[in-house]
Amino acid sequence: MVLLGQAVVSGILLGGMYALIAMGMTLVMGVMKIINLAHGALVMVGMYATYICFQQWGIDPYLGMFVAMPLLFLLGCLIQRFMINRLLHVESILPENQVLLTVGVMLVLTELVRLVFRSDYRSVATAYSGKTFFLGGVSVNVPMAVGFLIAMGFTYALHLFLTRTDLGRSIRATAQDREAALYMGVNAPRVTVITFGLGAALAAAGGSLLLPLFYLWPDIGHLFTAKSFIITILGGMGSMPGALLGGLALGVAESLGATYISMGYKDVVGLVIFLLVLLFLPGGLKSLLARR
Amino acid sequence: MRHMLNIGGIDVGYGDVQVLWDVSLEVREGEFVALLGANGAGKTTTLNAVSGLLRPRKGTITFLGQDLARTPAYRRAELGIAHVPEGRRLFPEMSVRENLEMGALHGEARRKRRETMEEVFSIFPRLRERQHQLAGSLSGGEQQMLAIGRGLMSRPKLLLLDEPSLGLAPMLVAQVFQVASELHSRGMTILLVEQNVRHALEVCSRAYVLENGRIVLQGTGTELLANPHVREAYLGI
Ligand SMILES: Nc1ncnc2c1ncn2[C@@H]1O[C@H](COP(=O)(O)OP(=O)(O)OP(=O)(O)O)[C@@H](O)[C@H]1O
Ligand SMILES: [Mg+2]
């Protein structure tokens, strides 16, 4: 029973951070109608940025993320502005091929990082790294709890941004009907650039929160692309509450898998769920809620 | 009367397919102009050229004396062109209120957002009742009111209405035409696209008839109601 509680609690904490990353992917998918397969690579670059801050200047990862996020925002904007938006003007290039471009971006980012940092495993050791506290008999890892709380804070801030500001509403409007948004005077090309930047900044935020918990190496991006993709499908494509639910669900599933099957099968559990959802619940968790 | 919109001999198409051929049309300040035609005649294409989603290959479009050739679509709402598109095109997952707010993004419209929203609510009291409901969950008639209301939120100088009566019950059709005439009598300049030819000719000041991408007839509403070709082809008399 304690074991189960333990697994569920750490699953939820981890899942909250996954959800933050997946919301970034969801945001871009909503506006661009493409799966950004470079999303995990952006998480990875964000993690390296936070890692450098820690290694070079001793900046705590929870502060370093505020360096990584604007950097990745800028990188995301540049990718959208000078690569993806360019393709939009070529009529012979189908939207599917924009996805191929994101694969290219993923490869370039991964290999560039490998060039500089090689494939060595890295990690940050902070004073709170191994610390735990007890919550009703369940031991909670400090960086997991802090990461979760910050992730939820960002989730709430994102919600406020998307519902209370003109720019946020314009992002949602562009996702729902791009032409109608143009009629309203939304500068849609600019909105796509900002959205991609925001998606990248959320990737960096989630990555930085996970940095004290994961080993870092250039190929870790693939892991996060897969996770975000699974969460997005699980959450029902393009819905923010869906991404949050999907993130928590994946975190718990992984954690249960690691506890009751084997640590090594943690990531396989996610893929199995992914297949099951595709087969039996193609609309994701959201469709389950809508059916009621 | 001042020229509001002047379309001068435009050719417009999609890819290799040309749809509009040398279309010319003008709307003066305070006028209520109708653009009539059958399915596929090119009415929506004409309106989309005005709001900048499509670029003419030939010809010019000027709005209040300004050539729009270099004005991107997203700057045209700011200039005073409001487009109420065919099929409403609301933001379905946003509330009624948010949809209205999206209509007032720039300049004066943005500053007077609350005031304009009150005006829209007084024209369409139903929207006030439903303001927190998702647009996608409204009935067809309510959606059309919201689409028009959203257009009015930009405090436009020219209102483009694309088949606002499409798919509505007869009573609601009458209501939509009544709202359009009322807006006109309060001074709004309107370019209305319709297939409901009789109704449109009764309320408009002037009308153009588009067939296969070409303007074939023009005149006042009364003139066209009496025109033999219009009577035979569009009124079934
Ligand atoms: N996106 C598009 N791509 C290619 N052809 C198009 C496109 N949109 C419209 N057309 C074609 O252009 C022609 C004119 O279409 P348009 O939508 O302007 O007609 P309409 O007069 O508005 O008709 P309706 O009353 O049915 O709305 C049609 O033959 C249509 O098939
Ligand atoms: Mg049409």
Side-chain angles (χ1 to χ4, degrees):
Chain A
M1 203 54 212
V2 172
L3 199 63
L4 178 67
Q6 189 77 54
V8 170
V9 167
S10 50
I12 288 176
L13 297 182
L14 206 57
M17 292 178 262
Y18 290 168
L20 190 62
I21 294 173
M23 282 177 210
M25 184 186 254
T26 300
L27 212 54
V28 172
M29 176 154 52
V31 168
M32 296 301 299
K33 311 296 173 211
I34 58 168
I35 289 267
N36 172 19
L37 292 176
H39 197 66
L42 294 168
V43 175
M44 178 271 296
V45 173
M47 289 174 91
Y48 271 97
T50 304
Y51 172 80
I52 294 167
C53 287
F54 179 80
Q55 206 58 28
Q56 295 293 315
W57 303 293
I59 300 172
D60 188 276
Y62 297 128
L63 292 176
M65 69 190 291
F66 292 97
V67 177
M69 285 176 70
L71 271 178
L72 268 282
F73 177 82
L74 200 68
L75 179 63
C77 288
L78 293 176
I79 291 172
Q80 179 71 35
R81 170 76 180 75
F82 292 104
M83 302 182 78
I84 302 178
N85 268 1
R86 286 209 160 182
L87 288 197
L88 296 183
H89 298 300
V90 187
E91 276 177 25
S92 58
I93 297 182
L94 299 169
E96 295 85 287
N97 297 343
Q98 295 165 25
V99 178
L100 294 183
L101 180 68
T102 68
V103 174
V105 170
M106 179 267 284
L107 290 172
V108 169
L109 290 177
T110 308
E111 296 316 314
L112 276 179
V113 169
R114 201 191 314 282
L115 205 65
V116 179
F117 294 95
R118 299 188 305 283
S119 289
D120 302 346
Y121 286 84
R122 291 157 196 275
S123 65
V124 299
T126 55
Y128 48 79
S129 276
K131 288 256 164 54
T132 55
F133 62 91
F134 281 87
L135 199 81
V138 174
S139 84
V140 181
N141 177 297
V142 170
M144 270 199 190
V146 174
F148 175 80
L149 288 177
I150 297 177
M152 290 305 102
F154 272 114
T155 302
Y156 186 61
L158 180 65
H159 169 76
L160 289 182
F161 169 70
L162 290 173
T163 53
R164 305 281 168 85
T165 68
D166 276 359
L167 181 57
R169 280 193 288 255
S170 296
I171 290 176
R172 284 161 62 218
T174 307
Q176 288 171 37
D177 191 331
R178 189 188 172 91
E179 280 190 7
L182 281 170
Y183 291 137
M184 298 304 115
V186 171
N187 185 340
R190 187 168 143 258
V191 162
T192 58
V193 167
I194 292 173
T195 304
F196 205 100
L198 209 56
L202 290 170
S208 304
L209 294 176
L210 289 168
L211 188 59
L213 301 162
F214 278 65
Y215 278 107
L216 175 59
W217 81 106
D219 290 307
I220 199 174
H222 309 319
L223 192 73
F224 289 117
T225 299
K227 284 190 204 307
S228 319
F229 190 40
I230 293 169
I231 292 169
T232 311
I233 299 283
L234 207 59
M237 301 282 226
S239 133
M240 286 292 160
L244 179 56
L245 269 178
L248 297 178
L250 179 67
V252 171
E254 276 189 0
S255 175
L256 290 175
T259 308
Y260 291 102
I261 306 172
S262 144
M263 194 61 201
Y265 284 112
K266 188 168 140 266
D267 296 320
V268 179
V269 172
L271 287 173
V272 170
I273 294 181
F274 176 60
L275 285 177
L276 290 179
V277 168
L278 275 185
L279 287 174
F280 299 110
L281 196 65
L285 293 171
K286 205 177 110 199
S287 67
L288 213 59
L289 293 176
R291 218 179 284 170
R292 291 262 205 93
Chain B
M1 274 186 289
R2 253 200 323 164
H3 276 280
M4 178 79 77
L5 176 70
N6 207 319
I7 301 179
I10 55 168
D11 285 359
V12 183
Y14 302 89
D16 296 333
V17 189
Q18 186 167 342
V19 169
L20 295 186
W21 308 78
D22 197 32
V23 167
S24 295
L25 175 163
E26 60 171 21
V27 182
R28 286 178 291 242
E29 205 171 327
E31 267 194 317
F32 188 160
V33 173
L35 179 60
L36 310 171
N39 280 325
K43 306 179 298 292
T44 299
T45 305
T46 308
L47 292 194
N48 275 337
V50 174
S51 44
L53 259 62
L54 297 168
R55 303 260 144 182
R57 296 172 185 171
K58 187 184 118 308
T60 56
I61 301 178
T62 54
F63 181 69
L64 291 171
Q66 182 186 341
D67 186 350
L68 293 184
R70 304 191 144 267
T71 311
Y74 61 82
R75 289 223 182 283
R76 299 194 185 187
E78 232 176 316
L79 292 179
I81 300 174
H83 190 145
V84 179
E86 182 177 342
R88 347 259 189 245
R89 305 293 288 269
L90 298 170
F91 303 114
E93 315 239 333
M94 292 173 111
S95 69
V96 167
R97 209 185 165 82
E98 286 179 311
N99 267 274
L100 291 174
E101 283 164 340
M102 284 305 297
L105 290 179
H106 302 288
E108 194 200 356
R110 164 119 232 273
R111 285 191 297 276
K112 296 194 173 166
R113 194 180 265 179
R114 290 204 162 182
E115 203 181 316
T116 320
M117 200 179 291
E118 279 307 311
E119 286 169 34
V120 169
F121 284 155
S122 71
I123 302 174
F124 303 112
R126 272 304 262 282
L127 295 183
R128 187 198 302 276
E129 291 166 30
R130 307 269 146 137
Q131 56 179 300
H132 298 298
Q133 200 170 315
L134 291 187
S137 71
L138 296 178
S139 74
E142 289 164 349
Q143 291 196 7
Q144 189 58 59
M145 293 173 197
L146 179 53
I148 297 174
R150 187 181 63 175
L152 294 175
M153 286 298 293
S154 66
R155 307 182 75 90
K157 300 188 173 98
L158 172 67
L159 187 62
L160 307 176
L161 295 173
D162 196 345
E163 303 209 34
S165 74
L166 193 71
L168 297 185
M171 215 177 73
L172 289 170
V173 171
Q175 198 186 338
V176 163
F177 277 101
Q178 201 200 325
V179 166
S181 324
E182 228 159 80
L183 289 169
H184 175 235
S185 64
R186 287 197 217 168
M188 180 71 73
T189 310
I190 299 176
L191 177 57
L192 168 75
V193 159
E194 261 302 331
Q195 285 196 57
N196 198 328
V197 172
R198 178 183 295 281
H199 237 124
L201 286 177
E202 281 165 1
V203 293
C204 72
S205 14
R206 280 190 315 115
Y208 294 83
V209 178
L210 196 61
E211 282 178 10
N212 299 319
R214 292 182 167 86
I215 301 278
V216 294
L217 274 174
Q218 54 177 301
T220 65
T222 337
E223 276 165 18
L224 290 182
L225 274 172
N227 181 291
H229 176 68
V230 171
R231 288 170 76 86
E232 192 190 318
Y234 298 97
L235 300 172
I237 306 174

